[in-house]
Amino acid sequence: MVEIESAVPFKQIERYGAPYGKPGVMLREVQNQSIVQIAAFPGAEKDLFKALGSELGIVVDGTAGRVGVNDDGSIRAVWISLNSYLVVASSMPDQVLHSRLAKACGSCALVTDQSAGRVCFELTGASVIDLLMMESATNFERDAFGPGESRAASWAGIACIVLFADGSDPDRPVYQLFPHRSFAQSLWEELCDAGREYAVEVIG
């Protein structure tokens, strides 16, 4: 896997907001994930779903917001729009992931390597939902947006994909944001600035 430089070159590992007590949100940049975007050709949706299952063990059916995950959780198909997904792998080189998807899905979908085009920010903590809802029209409350679901959303005017990655601990839900790399620094600064109200701690 080719190591990609941080998308947030000016980030500071520090705390924003109240200096004492537990942070309401912990924020980190998840680096060196392989990300490939796939979008089914018209009429070839079922072929794409079948190919994803046979090649990577991921089950998806085109349902809006539903994320597919392989057996060991190392690869996810994150829904981004109608019959379009970000395939995110934490343990597979980007060239390998792209090659496998191009071979398996190339006849039924557009396959584009986004490992250097998208980035991933992970937020966890008791105040994550409050922070996300500060400058977004998307409803992130649990009754509207559950664990294992994703949404195309915008935050502070910056478009990104939001994944509710883990809800097993209700006091520390985990969300991941996938903005385009060109907007990453701006989004990061917005999160740190807006998060002062909840005490955001940058951990990586």
Side-chain angles (χ1 to χ4, degrees), residues 43-188:
E45 296 85 359
K46 291 183 179 180
D47 291 334
L48 172 60
F49 304 153
K50 183 178 179 180
L52 279 176
S54 60
E55 182 64 26
L56 299 177
I58 295 175
V59 177
V60 294
D61 60 7
T63 301
R66 183 174 295 172
V67 174
V69 184
N70 71 338
D71 288 340
D72 65 7
S74 64
I75 308 174
R76 293 169 295 169
V78 180
W79 183 91
I80 57 176
S81 62
L82 181 63
N83 299 318
S84 183
Y85 296 84
L86 289 180
V87 179
V88 183
S90 59
S91 59
M92 187 184 303
D94 50 346
Q95 292 180 344
V96 173
L97 179 63
H98 180 264
S99 177
R100 288 181 62 177
L101 286 171
K103 183 176 180 179
C105 309
S107 63
C108 55
L110 181 65
V111 181
T112 308
D113 189 355
Q114 288 289 316
S115 299
R118 291 266 188 180
V119 299
C120 178
F121 297 158
E122 184 172 277
L123 300 91
T124 184
S127 299
V128 170
I129 294 176
D130 295 323
L131 173 58
L132 290 176
M133 292 184 66
M134 283 185 71
E135 297 188 44
S136 176
T138 301
N139 184 358
F140 293 103
E141 296 289 357
R142 283 177 177 258
D143 58 351
F145 188 7
E149 295 182 352
S150 61
R151 298 283 187 276
S154 65
W155 203 88
I158 299 172
C160 60
I161 305 303
V162 182
L163 167 66
F164 190 168
D166 187 352
S168 58
D169 183 347
D171 294 324
R172 292 189 62 178
V174 180
Y175 289 80
Q176 293 185 337
L177 277 58
F178 294 89
H180 290 285
R181 188 178 183 88
S182 57
F183 293 100
Q185 183 73 50
S186 296
L187 179 58
W188 184 273

